[in-house]
Amino acid sequence: MPLEPVEVEYCSLCGCPPEYCENAGCKRVKLEKEMEGASVCDEPPVDAPAAEGDAPAAEGEEKKEGGKKKKEKKAKGVTITRTTRNKKKTITNVAGLEHYPEVKIAECAKTLGKKFACGASVTKGPTGKDEIDVQGDFSHEIADLLAEKFGVDRETTKVVDKGRH
């Protein structure tokens, strides 16, 4: 006996089922909470003019806050990852340079190869973006060099070690 398909209703604002709207931070839930204390009768409450005056300001503030949230996205930075292969060989991977348009990735790879006397190549990473692979363990030195020579922000540079335990 095959089961019959269940029709699920989705929220038009957040795209989640209605029971998940509260977890998704949907505006519909906020509106429902605001409307809980509202009166349905035709006569406005005693403090209605103040409430009407506050409502447009609150909407404007929400839009401003929403705009700020969009502007305050996660800071884009450079990630330097160190991985080990064949138990002794180390590869340092530099990803995230596409967030710095003044840095030419091929030029940067050539500079790293010359500075550290090793092989450095530009490869496509798992996300499809260009990354630099450097043969050897130069993670902290690369972070310092990127900050000095290429103007990469040192605060947004992360060094991750995936190789040694």
Side-chain angles (χ1 to χ4, degrees), residues 59-77:
E59 288 179 29
E61 289 173 7
E62 287 177 8
K63 289 180 183 177
K64 288 179 186 175
E65 287 175 7
K68 286 182 184 176
K69 287 180 184 175
K70 289 180 183 176
K71 289 179 184 175
E72 292 179 7
K73 286 186 179 178
K74 186 178 173 184
K76 308 279 195 237

Side-chain angles (χ1 to χ4, degrees), residues 1-160:
M1 288 177 56
L3 297 174
E4 303 224 1
V6 179
E7 288 191 29
V8 179
E9 182 181 323
Y10 292 99
C11 176
S12 61
L13 296 175
C14 68
C16 295
E19 57 267 15
Y20 293 109
C21 281
E22 188 171 333
N23 295 337
C26 182
K27 292 178 184 176
R28 183 180 64 85
V29 174
K30 293 176 187 172
L31 291 173
E32 285 178 358
K33 287 182 181 178
E34 289 176 6
M35 296 303 288
E36 284 178 5
S39 174
V40 183
C41 65
D42 293 337
E43 298 175 10
V46 178
D47 61 345
E52 288 177 10
D54 292 342
E59 288 179 29
E61 289 173 7
E62 287 177 8
K63 289 180 183 177
K64 288 179 186 175
E65 287 175 7
K68 286 182 184 176
K69 287 180 184 175
K70 289 180 183 176
K71 289 179 184 175
E72 292 179 7
K73 286 186 179 178
K74 186 178 173 184
K76 308 279 195 237
V78 176
T79 305
I80 301 173
T81 310
R82 182 175 53 198
T83 56
T84 305
R85 63 177 182 91
N86 297 339
K87 295 185 181 179
K88 291 185 179 181
K89 308 286 182 182
T90 306
I91 295 179
T92 306
N93 181 282
V94 182
L97 287 172
E98 68 271 0
H99 303 300
Y100 295 91
E102 65 274 1
V103 177
K104 301 206 178 350
I105 296 178
E107 241 177 69
C108 184
K110 190 172 182 179
T111 304
L112 292 173
K114 286 183 177 181
K115 170 78 176 172
F116 301 117
C118 64
S121 62
V122 178
T123 59
K124 292 280 185 197
T127 59
K129 308 224 174 168
D130 285 339
E131 298 178 347
I132 300 175
D133 286 339
V134 179
Q135 295 178 3
D137 181 8
F138 302 108
S139 52
H140 295 289
E141 293 90 345
I142 289 175
D144 295 336
L145 182 74
L146 289 175
E148 288 174 17
K149 197 161 192 176
F150 295 101
V152 174
D153 188 15
R154 183 73 169 119
E155 293 176 6
T156 59
T157 302
K158 290 187 278 184
V159 178
V160 180

